[in-house]
Amino acid sequence: MTEYKKNILVYLVAVIVLILIGFTALFIGSSYINPIDVVSYILSNNQISASTAIIISEIRLPRIILAFIVGAGLAVAGSVFQAIIRNPMVDPYIIGISAGAGTGVMVALFLGIEISVLNLSSIPVFAFIGAVSTVFIVYQLAKVGKKLPVLTFLLAGVAMSFILNSVMSFLMVLRTENLQQLVYWLMGSLAGSSWSDIQMVLPYFLAALAVIVFYLKDLNILLLGEESAAHLGLNVERTKIILLGSASLITASVVSVSGSIGFIGLVVPHITRMIIGPDHRKLIPLTALFGGGFLLVADTAARTIMAPMELPVGIITALAGGPYFIHLLRNKSKNIW
Amino acid sequence: MKIMLKTDNIKFSYNKTNIIKGIDLNIKKGSFVGIIGPNASGKSTLLKNISKTLTVDQGKVYLDKKVLNDYNSMELAKKMAVVPQNTEVNFNFNVYDIIMMGRHPYQKRWSGLKQEDKKIVKNIMELTDTLKLKNKLINELSGGERQRVIIARALAQDPDVLLLDEPTSNLDINYQGEIYGLLKHLNQKFNLTIITVSHDLNLTAQYCEELLLLKNGKIFAAGNAENVLTEKNIKKVYKAEVLIKINPISGKPFVTLIPEKNDKYKNQKNKDFKVHVIAGGGTAQKFLYKLDNEGYPLSIGVLNIGDADWQAAKELGIETVEAPPFIEITEKEINKNRKLIKKADLVILSDLPFGHGNLANLKILLEFPEKKKILFSNLNIEKRDYIKGKAAAIWNKIIIEDENVILLKEKDDLIKKINELENMEMER
């Protein structure tokens, strides 16, 4: 029972900290808003100026919510990929799925859809097509007979990632008019987020998340290894395909608004696993909270530290996550799970 | 008796290499079968074929009268559980969670833990002695403990058949016995059908009721351990010279590799100084190994078949004159012994006891007064004489009349003495 209590405590603390972070992110930024004003806005007191109200409701609030969705999505997708591949070095960014989604978006733009069309919900569809095609290609490349060895999967993913990044760079050079925006998007940025972005992402995100939640127990069984999982009555190939598809869809939906933000899908599931253990029924909700919180902090830093200029948040997450990845590589201890 | 698992001329190939070349199995409910065979004989592949991990190319596998491929994965998991060769789990679930996963085929997706599942898992943990490990993380366990947990998980599936691939390959000897002891208990108490694959001939022979010896994807021999583990079979299948002894406690055959004949890289320092040993009753066992190790060409006779010295001589591959036990040595055997003594540069008579049966072994020395002989005086001849002074009389005659006798008090001095004699011989 003590473990049960501990888990409840962990969740409680996570939620409280997240609310505090969210609240803080509302009042800091390129223009400082008095926290009292924020409180009174939340309590629907109209004693604040119209411009402050707009900053809060139309700029910061959607951005905070979107940062949370993107961070949570990447972390959940990362956990799922890590469980399916049974390797903690896996992340949507590393195995090329982010690049695939990004390429899908770039192709859509190149085919004549204006950058402002980013607000339309067809973009995640392109991203999803890109992501799923990438997963499919990587899967086919990596397959040896009927099996999917981890090593070939990683290598195929890294190779695809390189190729797709070049494709994106090439498309970018061809369309120079929106270069800065594209570069920012490519590096991963939540600048200019609006409610319509959230509207665009949310249906895909929730649909994929629902599927993953449905399969949480199967994810645990998959961790035992594919052979053992099959002996325990799991239809391994079908489960893998469904889960890879859902995790790709989550990745695609968030990449279509944020670009490729690296390392969240790697680092956050890891740290969460250290705290709560490998059972996905407990892990996935917490990793979503942590991922959302982490990206929220990183994004708030990205728009604050060099204000009024904005940094692409991908730079910050990569600076934080890269060294952690190296640390993992160097420290191949058995307890990385 | 009910047939639990049956295969019908199954064949399987991997990358165009035929691995299983037509195997028929009829495994009865409640049997404990051990599949053995050299590397690449197809034993692990066979196990994968009957566990549906690899689907056969030809032929059919029947589990409880139903074709294996007609089972869906959930149904199959309720009938058959598998303990794979690699049980390494590289993530840190606790033991209880791991064992509970064995209940997966019985659980609905959204139902919580049922009371029934909890009860079954608790019983199994008691049975496999894993209850005390309940809250430990899987990576904190020793190899033997982890194997017990994985077996417990398989048992939680409540299977009719349990398959194990090399269940003890990475375990110390104490855990090996423990795991097989557990399997035997499960087999006997719950009539669980168990099939193991192992490269350990002796463990398999000790615990499994039926053995299946594979060679090149086919069954070479099947049956109980006594019939399968014969020197002839092992020579044909493994190309190794072995000695089959009987384990005195279990009465099961026990395979020992004969080092001399198999060791191609042994230092070939064969000396040009032939030694013939007359022994029996295990009196020469120890120094035979030492002499062999020193590189002296050895011969020995006349020994009773089954005698401890005889076994040592067989293991070392020494030229032996052998005779059936409990009857007097015949003229034919004495003759063979005589020939060997003639060829030898030195004869050693160990401190063996004499009776009617082997008196000829002592008498023969009288025929060779010119040969160098080593005898031992550590045990009084009267105490070793079981034929009322006859042996003592001959012994005393040799000691007194023969000038080439060297009498040693300690067996430990033997090697040194022989080295001396050898050097004298060389100088001459």
Side-chain angles (χ1 to χ4, degrees), chain B residues 349 354 359 362-363 365-366 373 375-377 379-385 388-405 407:
Chain B
L349 179 72
F354 291 101
L359 190 62
L362 181 61
K363 266 189 195 160
L365 287 180
L366 293 170
K373 300 173 199 63
L375 279 62
F376 297 99
S377 62
L379 258 178
N380 196 322
I381 182 66
E382 270 83 35
K383 283 183 186 163
R384 308 192 259 129
D385 181 358
K388 297 168 189 157
K390 273 189 194 167
I394 298 170
W395 171 276
N396 288 331
K397 192 168 152 56
I398 296 170
I399 299 283
I400 295 160
E401 292 178 9
D402 195 327
E403 290 178 352
N404 283 315
V405 164
L407 206 56

Side-chain angles (χ1 to χ4, degrees), chain B residues 3-160:
Chain B
I3 298 288
M4 196 69 223
L5 192 110
K6 182 177 152 63
T7 70
D8 180 9
N9 194 28
I10 55 168
K11 292 178 181 168
F12 180 79
S13 55
Y14 193 73
N15 289 338
K16 288 176 187 164
T17 313
N18 295 329
I19 297 175
I20 302 293
K21 299 170 187 167
I23 286 185
D24 293 314
L25 291 178
N26 270 303
I27 293 173
K28 294 189 190 89
K29 185 172 166 54
S31 46
F32 190 172
V33 180
I35 303 175
I36 49 176
N39 291 336
S41 60
K43 53 188 193 303
S44 281
T45 309
L46 178 62
L47 197 79
K48 284 181 175 152
N49 281 152
I50 57 186
S51 66
K52 211 185 162 196
T53 305
L54 297 171
T55 310
V56 290
D57 299 334
Q58 271 183 56
K60 281 202 170 78
V61 182
Y62 299 90
L63 175 65
D64 207 4
K65 290 173 190 151
K66 190 173 157 186
V67 177
L68 190 67
N69 282 342
D70 292 350
Y71 282 90
N72 72 34
S73 39
M74 282 292 198
E75 280 169 6
L76 186 61
K78 291 178 191 173
K79 279 253 165 212
M80 178 189 272
V82 182
V83 175
Q85 183 170 10
N86 181 8
T87 58
E88 193 102 355
V89 189
N90 48 358
F91 50 87
N92 253 336
F93 281 108
N94 70 33
V95 167
Y96 186 77
D97 287 346
I98 293 261
I99 297 175
M100 191 51 97
M101 283 183 197
R103 297 301 299 163
H104 177 256
Y106 298 92
Q107 289 167 337
K108 293 210 178 73
R109 195 168 287 281
W110 289 108
S111 67
L113 287 185
K114 279 197 210 128
Q115 223 42 47
E116 191 198 348
D117 292 332
K118 284 183 188 168
K119 209 176 126 194
I120 290 172
V121 167
K122 188 167 175 275
N123 285 341
I124 283 164
M125 290 177 94
E126 275 167 6
L127 185 70
T128 52
D129 196 22
T130 47
L131 202 56
K132 58 178 187 271
L133 308 172
K134 193 180 169 190
N135 292 318
K136 282 202 171 174
L137 297 175
I138 189 85
N139 287 335
E140 292 170 1
L141 306 184
S142 70
E145 287 171 337
R146 191 175 65 223
Q147 191 66 303
R148 284 213 309 270
V149 170
I150 302 297
I151 290 173
R153 188 186 74 203
L155 293 176
Q157 288 173 245
D158 194 16
D160 295 335

Side-chain angles (χ1 to χ4, degrees), chain B residues 23 26 196 206 213 222 258 332 351:
Chain B
I23 286 185
N26 270 303
T196 65
Q206 297 302 304
L213 178 60
I258 299 176
K332 196 177 148 205
D351 52 347

Side-chain angles (χ1 to χ4, degrees), chain B residues 20 28 35 45 83 106 111 125 156 169 176 200 219 226-227 235 247 256 264 290 322 329 350 366 383 404 412 418-419:
Chain B
I20 302 293
K28 294 189 190 89
I35 303 175
T45 309
V83 175
Y106 298 92
S111 67
M125 290 177 94
S169 58
Q176 292 179 351
D200 193 322
I219 296 176
E226 289 80 0
N227 293 331
K235 188 166 182 182
N247 181 327
T256 316
K264 293 174 192 143
K290 285 187 194 160
E322 56 187 27
I329 300 171
S350 78
L366 293 170
K383 283 183 186 163
N404 283 315
D412 291 343
I418 294 175
N419 288 341

Side-chain angles (χ1 to χ4, degrees), chain A residues 244-263:
Chain A
L244 279 177
S246 314
S248 304
L249 182 57
I250 286 200
T251 311
S253 67
V254 301
V255 166
S256 63
V257 290
S258 69
S260 324
I261 297 175
F263 294 105

